[in-house]
């Protein structure tokens, strides 16, 4: 697919914040001087063609009142990684769940980010995760402050226009 200038501007807009409007594509359409339906049609087309792989929201959890988060590192035997990873990822408080090569002296292999409104809530969720998986060898690394949280920028206006 050959991208025209409107497609390129849509891609640039999708890399940044869409704002808190209940109709973000309508706002984008007004800026591009096209209809909201046209913006949505073009996004769907770029998704179908693999130009855009996925769209996802990045929640600013601290601003939303979810002020505590912890990276939990789990030691999981290789034959259970898939099973345990799927179970950990199913918790609504978990936003990220990754398998990584064994890390540290204990050989932690699964990493999860757990979010809650309080430290106690975070600890309760982690305890429940441990109980449901039977994994008791884990460590929690609580965040102290957020230094950077931005969407990825794959190209800028000069690259696309």
């Amino acid at each position: 697919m050959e991208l025209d200038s409107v497609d390129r501007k849509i891609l640039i807009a999708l890399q940044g914040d869409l704002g808190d409007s209940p109709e973000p594509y309508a706002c984008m359409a007004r800026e591009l001087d096209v209809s909201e339906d046209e913006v949505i049609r073009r996004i769907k087309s770029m998704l179908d063609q693999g130009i855009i792989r996925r769209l996802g929201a990045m929640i600013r959890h601290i601003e939303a009142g979810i002020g505590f988060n912890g990276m939990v590192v789990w030691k999981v035997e290789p034959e259970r990684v898939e099973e345990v990873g799927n179970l950990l990822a199913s918790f609504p408080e978990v936003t990220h769940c990754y398998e990584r090569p064994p890390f540290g002296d204990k050989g932690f292999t699964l990493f999860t980010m757990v979010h809650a409104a309080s430290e106690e809530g975070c600890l309760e969720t982690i305890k429940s995760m441990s109980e449901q998986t039977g994994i008791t060898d884990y460590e929690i690394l609580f965040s102290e402050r957020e230094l950077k949280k931005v969407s990825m920028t794959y190209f800028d206006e000069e690259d696309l226009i």
Side-chain angles (χ1 to χ4, degrees):
M1 171 184 177
E2 187 70 29
L3 299 177
D4 65 18
S5 65
V6 174
D7 292 323
R8 292 180 179 108
K9 288 176 182 174
I10 289 171
L11 289 172
I12 290 168
L14 289 174
Q15 291 181 138
D17 285 344
L18 294 181
D20 58 2
S21 166
E23 297 177 330
Y25 299 128
C27 294
M28 188 184 301
R30 280 191 296 277
E31 290 179 21
L32 298 172
D33 198 29
V34 296
S35 71
E36 180 182 19
D37 287 341
E38 179 68 7
V39 168
I40 292 169
R41 185 193 64 73
R42 285 172 180 260
I43 291 171
K44 284 181 181 177
S45 176
M46 287 188 275
L47 281 164
D48 290 344
Q49 295 178 50
I51 294 166
I52 300 172
R53 287 185 296 168
R54 70 177 191 86
L55 291 176
M58 179 174 63
I59 305 298
R60 300 200 192 292
H61 62 279
I62 294 170
E63 293 173 23
I66 304 171
F68 284 85
N69 63 66
M71 169 74 73
V72 187
V73 293
W74 306 85
K75 182 175 182 181
V76 180
E77 297 303 317
E79 63 274 5
R80 290 199 63 211
V81 165
E82 190 78 24
E83 167 210 346
V84 172
N86 285 329
L87 183 53
L88 294 175
S90 74
F91 279 77
E93 300 87 350
V94 172
T95 57
H96 298 74
C97 184
Y98 294 100
E99 177 185 11
R100 298 211 166 134
F103 176 79
D105 295 338
K106 291 189 177 184
F108 296 111
T109 53
L110 281 178
F111 294 66
T112 56
M113 279 303 294
V114 178
H115 301 272
S118 66
E119 184 174 352
E120 296 77 29
C122 208
L123 290 170
E124 286 175 23
T125 297
I126 295 165
K127 180 181 177 192
S128 179
M129 294 165 75
S130 174
E131 290 169 351
Q132 288 190 39
T133 61
I135 305 297
T136 58
D137 200 355
Y138 64 89
E139 290 184 22
I140 308 166
L141 308 167
F142 283 108
S143 298
E144 292 188 6
R145 64 186 169 124
E146 186 174 272
L147 300 172
K148 178 180 181 182
K149 185 168 189 167
V150 297
S151 298
M152 287 294 295
T153 300
Y154 296 99
F155 22 67
D156 57 25
E157 207 159 327
E158 291 91 40
D159 293 333
L160 291 176
I161 296 179

